[in-house]
Amino acid sequence: MNRCEVLIVGAGPTGLVLALWLSKLGVKVRIVDRTAGPGTTSRALAVQARTLELYRQLDLTSAILEQGHRVPAANLWVKGEAAARLPFSDIGADLTPYPFLHIYPRTSTSNC
Ligand SMILES: Cc1cc2nc3c(=O)[nH]c(=O)nc-3n(C[C@H](O)[C@H](O)[C@H](O)COP(=O)(O)OP(=O)(O)OC[C@H]3O[C@@H](n4cnc5c(N)ncnc54)[C@H](O)[C@@H]3O)c2cc1C
């Protein structure tokens, strides 16, 4: 029977990234979750720049950028009238290689 060196309880983003990193370092992991399978609803829509930076080290960022959608701005409406426009296209300029808002559903991350 295969033995694991680390048991990770919880297969959310924290547990999955920990499992990825430990596996990359050659550590045998077992990950368990109280749910029977992957989630079918998303609790995260926008991927943050720091997450993309971390994913880049795991060679995941290109696929996520190709399959997701970059959001240039959000338009706020009040009672049918345009009230404000929030530009997002360069919100992290000079801070990150990914200075934008990127939409990629969390439930799709496991497909990368
Ligand atoms: C409505 C909403 C929208 C959000 N939108 C965004 C967004 O757009 N972008 C973004 O970056 N973040 C977003 N977040 C935050 C993001 O979802 C959380 O930061 C992230 O889910 C935290 O991951 P986690 O692995 O720490 O916890 P969780 O995602 O809660 O995962 C914990 C896992 O552990 C399992 N578990 C718990 N207890 C046990 C146990 N005793 N035994 C076995 N398994 C157990 C659970 O079943 C679950 O699968 C949003 C959150 C919410 C609620």
Side-chain angles (χ1 to χ4, degrees):
M1 186 172 162
N2 286 341
R3 294 178 64 99
C4 69
E5 295 168 276
V6 175
L7 175 66
I8 301 170
V9 180
T14 302
L16 289 172
V17 169
L18 179 61
L20 271 173
W21 273 108
L22 289 175
S23 298
K24 194 178 164 83
L25 295 171
V27 177
K28 284 186 181 176
V29 302
R30 175 172 294 237
I31 184 163
V32 297
D33 199 286
R34 65 181 167 196
T35 57
T40 56
T41 57
S42 186
R43 271 179 287 165
L45 201 59
V47 184
Q48 311 299 332
R50 185 65 189 118
T51 303
L52 291 170
E53 291 171 14
L54 186 73
Y55 282 170
R56 182 174 58 175
Q57 297 172 55
L58 296 164
D59 297 324
L60 294 173
T61 298
S62 298
I64 288 174
L65 291 180
E66 281 168 20
Q67 295 168 37
H69 302 282
R70 206 175 288 196
V71 179
N75 295 313
L76 305 183
W77 293 72
V78 178
K79 295 180 180 173
E81 302 275 334
R85 181 174 173 83
L86 306 175
F88 291 135
S89 54
D90 62 351
I91 48 176
D94 300 328
L95 296 173
T96 172
Y98 313 106
F100 44 78
L101 181 66
H102 193 72
I103 298 293
Y104 187 78
R106 171 169 149 182
T107 45
S108 303
T109 303
S110 56
N111 298 329
C112 287

